[in-house]
Amino acid sequence: MPVYRIRGVDVDFPFDAYDCQITYMDRVLQSLQQGNNALLESPTGTGKTLCLLCSTLAWRRTFGEFLRGGGGGGGGGSQPSGSQQSGASATPLSPYPVIIYASRTHSQLRQVIKELKATSYRPKMAVLGSREQMCIHEEVSKLRGKAQNNGCHFLCKKRRCRHNNIVTEYMKSNNDLGNEPFDIEDLVNIGRTKGPCPYYISRELSKSVDILFAPYNYLIDPGNRRSLTGIPWDNAVLIFDEAHNLESICADAASFDLHPNSLTSCIAEAQECIQLCSFKRSIENSADKQFDPENYAILKALLMALEKKISELVIASKELGYTKPGTYIYEFLSELNITSETSKKLIETIDSASLLLEEGNSGETKAGVKAKSTVSRLETIRDMLDIIFRGGGQNHAKYYRFHVNESRQTSGDLLQVFGKASRTLSWWCFNPGLAMEEFLRLGVRSIILTSGTLSPLESLAMELNLDFPVRLENPHVISPDQIWVGIVPLGPSGHPLNSSYRTRETEKYKQELGTVIVNFARIVPDGLLVFFPSYSMMDKCIDFWKNRNHEHSVDENTIWQRMCKYKQPVIEPRQSSNFPNAIEERSGMYNKQQGLSIRPLDASSDIVMTMEQLFIVMKGRNLIITFLQGVYG
């Protein structure tokens, strides 16, 4: 395995590195050694993930050998809410820098861990996932969202989850876990065969590692970040891979929309808390403040007053809604006596309500998790208050807009009367830098943002409101003679390939477009990838091709049958659960040099992830990408 000496660091690299890869690793090491932030752009196919892993782990190793054995193994009691136990039983923090590698999806992280396996580096590692992905409890695993979280918390608190109860013992007798690269599926397999909870295994492991893999929201969302209690942030390096849409993720994390059905559910939950408290007091004769129905009566009254106040706003234009500067939220809420001070009491009440609802909704059933679908909707109010009164100040409000939108309810709004006007209260953040500033307060060593498309770098740096002294815009490893980009304005019979709204529904256009793809499929020796602007347009064209041929064709087969003669089509599925099977299907066909992949640009799957996987599969072969959007096909 080649070893490259870069900035005084020996970097093991699995292949002979391109010049652009050496440059990329040089910038990574510069950022880490100087403790500076970095913006690193390197096109898809230049091996940036491998470069990131090798350079950061080589730098980490300069501080000392990777953690082995007992790191993360003695966490003492896996408790709910991120195992927030402390004291003598807590796992000691690593004295070395911790690398936190974040990407948008677990599928992308799976690819990163696969790349890690191809290197010579074997750091102590952990990967974080959600309960939805990792829970193996017979009943809790059937729940979703906060109902699942609350069901898990309740069972763990009552020591009723056998999987959680054996985590500590399992970690003590398997302290080498994390020494070799593993994925979420590997942890789930351990849980199913050995019994310990995969979710809490990952949490225990994350307390003392060399590198931690996690999705973006685990770092950007304040609630998720608070649960990562074992991370020494002031000794951490944050890497955001595929960071080209990080601004929108940060802005969304700092915003909220309070929908009318959510508010109605919260009021109903507050009423349920009143009833549960009254029932508990009557049978237990308890004076516990947590079970004081008056607290929840006040909460219910406030929520009803909020609902009424939203409904009384005068909206002059239904199209534009009611919009005010972000600071108006404080004036709006103060009239309900909701301020920075009183919000703390409200948050405490909501936290108590969540616990109360967990117990009340679980009852004394055998499984203990017969939670209602509306459980914990009150936590949306808690999250809202956290965003509004963050840090106890109001300075961040200048980057927000207060907005109330009115719409007519449809039959899908089960909690509202059909045809009734409903209003959504929104507080939208227009400064993604607010989320990134939290990392400055935590004192992280370096933040590295990287992707195939980050330009213009100056604009991105300004939006995120961070200094990025280290920057790179890498060229592609593909030479100009290996790619051609052009427009095909006419089909084989001379008909314009005009994909505008006016002409794309015509039979003539669909015939000509289908024949163009048939001709490409005949002459392109390997993979062919075709994009449509939408599922709707894709479905209409495919239906047409399956039943018709070109009017001038002498071939009796349909257009679709002619395509299948040269390439085996694979159509993008609508259901996200079918994406892995479709990708595997594509992979097998491309390996046989038979693939024709057809997919829309608005697919709910991650288009960049899918394209990267296709590029990997089709490496070294001819690739035609046809964008069927705009005026020309």
Side-chain angles (χ1 to χ4, degrees), residues 25-45:
M25 290 189 284
D26 177 87
R27 295 295 191 278
V28 172
L29 289 169
Q30 179 186 353
S31 169
L32 297 175
Q33 290 175 338
Q34 297 176 356
N36 288 327
N37 302 328
L39 285 178
L40 307 177
E41 180 182 82
S42 196
T44 298

Side-chain angles (χ1 to χ4, degrees), residues 127-403:
V127 57
L128 296 178
S130 65
R131 287 180 175 85
E132 186 171 336
Q133 294 169 307
M134 303 174 80
C135 180
I136 57 174
H137 189 277
E138 296 81 357
E139 294 295 333
V140 178
S141 60
K142 298 175 184 177
L143 303 175
R144 290 295 178 265
K146 291 184 178 179
Q148 186 179 54
N149 294 341
N150 288 343
C152 173
H153 287 169
F154 177 75
L155 287 188
C156 292
K157 180 181 178 181
K158 300 294 185 180
R159 303 288 293 172
R160 294 183 186 175
C161 178
R162 61 185 179 87
H163 304 291
N164 176 267
N165 292 344
I166 64 173
V167 166
T168 300
E169 192 61 36
Y170 180 84
M171 297 294 288
K172 287 180 179 178
S173 45
N174 293 271
N175 57 18
D176 59 343
L177 186 62
N179 291 351
E180 291 293 325
F182 66 89
D183 200 357
I184 286 177
E185 287 76 8
D186 299 316
L187 284 182
V188 173
N189 288 335
I190 289 174
R192 295 196 186 284
T193 56
K194 307 293 184 181
C197 172
Y199 178 81
Y200 281 113
I201 286 178
S202 70
R203 292 288 166 150
E204 289 299 320
L205 278 175
S206 69
K207 294 178 180 180
S208 185
V209 291
D210 297 304
I211 185 167
L212 174 65
F213 297 96
Y216 283 175
N217 62 305
Y218 279 68
L219 305 182
I220 295 173
D221 181 82
N224 285 330
R225 190 171 61 243
R226 280 195 301 269
S227 72
L228 305 179
T229 55
I231 295 178
W233 293 103
D234 58 349
N235 203 21
V237 172
L238 307 188
I239 297 174
F240 290 93
D241 198 0
E242 301 301 340
H244 45 271
N245 67 342
L246 187 62
E247 313 101 287
S248 61
I249 293 174
C250 287
D252 288 344
S255 306
F256 68 80
D257 294 299
L258 181 60
H259 299 284
N261 54 350
S262 293
L263 190 50
T264 301
S265 297
C266 291
I267 293 170
E269 283 187 2
Q271 175 61 35
E272 187 177 353
C273 287
I274 296 172
Q275 295 171 345
L276 287 170
C277 284
S278 300
F279 178 73
K280 274 182 170 291
R281 286 202 162 188
S282 65
I283 63 173
E284 298 177 7
N285 195 25
S286 172
D288 192 332
K289 290 184 179 180
Q290 179 183 342
F291 303 130
D292 185 351
E294 185 177 344
N295 290 336
Y296 304 108
I298 293 172
L299 176 62
K300 178 186 174 183
L302 277 175
L303 293 175
M304 293 179 67
L306 175 61
E307 184 180 49
K308 183 173 184 290
K309 189 168 180 60
I310 294 173
S311 68
E312 290 175 346
L313 290 174
V314 178
I315 300 180
S317 170
K318 296 295 189 292
E319 291 76 19
L320 298 178
Y322 183 90
T323 304
K324 289 276 191 177
T327 52
Y328 177 72
I329 192 95
Y330 301 107
E331 177 185 338
F332 181 82
L333 293 178
S334 66
E335 294 179 12
L336 302 173
N337 197 30
I338 301 176
T339 64
S340 178
E341 289 302 316
T342 60
S343 68
K344 297 174 183 177
K345 175 62 176 176
L346 279 175
I347 288 174
E348 290 176 4
T349 302
I350 292 172
D351 287 342
S352 298
S354 296
L355 295 173
L356 187 62
L357 288 168
E358 287 170 22
E359 297 186 25
N361 287 333
S362 64
E364 294 300 327
T365 61
K366 182 178 180 180
V369 290
K370 302 296 184 181
K372 297 181 180 179
S373 60
T374 58
V375 69
S376 197
R377 293 295 286 273
L378 272 170
E379 290 189 14
T380 60
I381 304 296
R382 186 198 197 286
D383 295 340
M384 183 183 85
L385 295 174
D386 274 340
I387 291 173
I388 296 172
F389 298 106
R390 69 182 339 168
Q394 301 183 7
N395 290 336
H396 59 292
K398 61 186 177 184
Y399 301 111
Y400 281 79
R401 285 295 179 272
F402 177 100
H403 182 77

